[in-house]
Amino acid sequence: MPWKMVHVSHGKGRLSFSLDDGETRSWWRQLRLDGNPIYLIGNVCDTCQAIFGQVSPATMPLAPQILSQSLRDGLQSLDPRVVDSVAAILPDGGYMAGLFVIHPAFFPDTRSRTPPDGTAVRQQIQLTQDMIIPEIFLPLITADQYNLDAVEQYKQMLMAHQLPTALALSVVDARYPSGKCYQWQLVHFLLDGHHKIRAAYEMGRPITLLSFLALDQSHVAEKEISAVVEHRYKQETKLTQRWENNALP
């Protein structure tokens, strides 16, 4: 599986993390685009429920045109030019960049085949034999911003056995809801690929994800971050543009 450590220190990224400085909720974190809040990322209180709520939709796309085309065609490796293009919009900090296969058609929390629209898409990932955690894909656009023609185009690509690539800024988050149990999850904020995710969901097909895991913004113990990095970002997975006899990669 292609992966690498990335350090961003330009101080000019369009995306940023911040703490809400309100009087009653000063512990809540936010993901911001060009200084404007677009997502609430729960809080840093160990005994509180994790919260992910859209504050306002982002203006898409964030990715430059050449990068968007590379993602549309599907990545096979971590091209330094692609990594540098993404790093230009990221907040300062350390990241684990990984390219891996995802199966957004799998919804363990529901039996419905209703399209995800503007809601979160989920799947389960098995980090080790005894460790399974939720993996969540959060959209930065609202339901009415989806282009159904674009979704149909990606369906055609999937039918032709192509694997387009989505792009995400990711964090690992954990809480003790009501102080009773420990829960943690891998969360991807989709920077590019909303229509790919929806097409893959509706077709029951896999695609690939280029994820930049924000190590400095993942509010969990080092052992949890290490587990995600070792078993999700560094796990050996063959990336291919085709699969035979409906066998998923």
Side-chain angles (χ1 to χ4, degrees):
M1 174 181 296
W3 60 272
K4 68 175 297 183
M5 288 292 302
V6 178
H7 185 72
V8 178
S9 59
H10 51 59
K12 300 178 181 179
R14 295 185 61 192
L15 291 163
S16 61
F17 291 100
S18 68
L19 288 177
D20 189 337
D21 58 2
E23 294 181 0
T24 61
R25 295 174 177 175
S26 60
W27 60 91
W28 281 8
R29 292 185 293 150
Q30 291 181 335
L31 175 63
R32 294 175 176 265
L33 173 62
D34 297 330
N36 299 313
I38 55 176
Y39 247 99
L40 182 67
I41 318 176
N43 50 61
V44 295
C45 170
D46 284 342
T47 60
C48 299
Q49 178 69 48
I51 300 170
F52 295 93
Q54 192 173 57
V55 178
S56 61
T59 301
M60 305 296 284
L62 289 178
Q65 185 174 358
I66 296 178
L67 172 59
S68 291
Q69 186 59 50
S70 296
L71 297 173
R72 176 183 173 85
D73 294 339
L75 299 177
Q76 291 290 298
S77 63
L78 288 181
D79 187 322
R81 294 170 297 181
V82 170
V83 173
D84 290 345
S85 295
V86 178
I89 66 173
L90 296 179
D92 287 358
Y95 297 85
M96 171 60 70
L99 178 63
F100 45 82
V101 176
I102 61 174
H103 300 79
F106 297 170
F107 287 77
D109 296 335
T110 178
R111 297 179 182 179
S112 172
R113 292 295 296 176
T114 303
D117 293 325
T119 61
V121 178
R122 299 171 183 265
Q123 68 175 26
Q124 298 282 71
I125 54 172
Q126 187 155 359
L127 297 184
T128 67
Q129 183 176 356
D130 303 317
M131 187 184 302
I132 300 176
I133 68 171
E135 185 170 24
I136 304 174
F137 307 89
L138 294 176
L140 299 189
I141 65 176
T142 56
D144 59 358
Q145 290 180 293
Y146 279 87
N147 184 324
L148 297 184
D149 290 336
V151 174
E152 185 60 33
Q153 290 176 10
Y154 282 116
K155 287 184 179 180
Q156 296 300 318
M157 292 179 64
L158 293 172
M159 290 178 64
H161 308 303
Q162 293 180 284
L163 288 178
T165 303
L167 172 65
L169 169 60
S170 309
V171 296
V172 182
D173 216 7
R175 295 291 180 271
Y176 292 90
S178 301
K180 296 179 180 179
C181 61
Y182 185 69
Q183 297 178 352
W184 54 297
Q185 54 203 349
L186 175 59
V187 181
H188 305 290
F189 294 96
L190 292 173
L191 306 181
D192 185 279
H194 294 76
H195 299 88
K196 302 166 193 173
I197 291 279
R198 178 162 174 172
Y201 164 78
E202 295 183 359
M203 291 289 295
R205 299 284 193 177
I207 60 173
T208 55
L209 178 73
L210 173 58
S211 165
F212 285 74
L213 178 63
L215 303 177
D216 303 332
Q217 296 296 329
S218 293
H219 289 269
V220 294
E222 184 176 346
K223 65 179 181 179
E224 276 89 10
I225 296 179
S226 296
V228 171
V229 168
E230 292 298 325
H231 299 286
R232 187 52 166 147
Y233 286 76
K234 293 184 179 181
Q235 185 181 33
E236 290 299 325
T237 300
K238 182 179 180 181
L239 297 177
T240 176
Q241 286 292 99
R242 297 182 178 274
W243 60 90
E244 303 298 336
N245 300 322
N246 294 322
L248 301 184

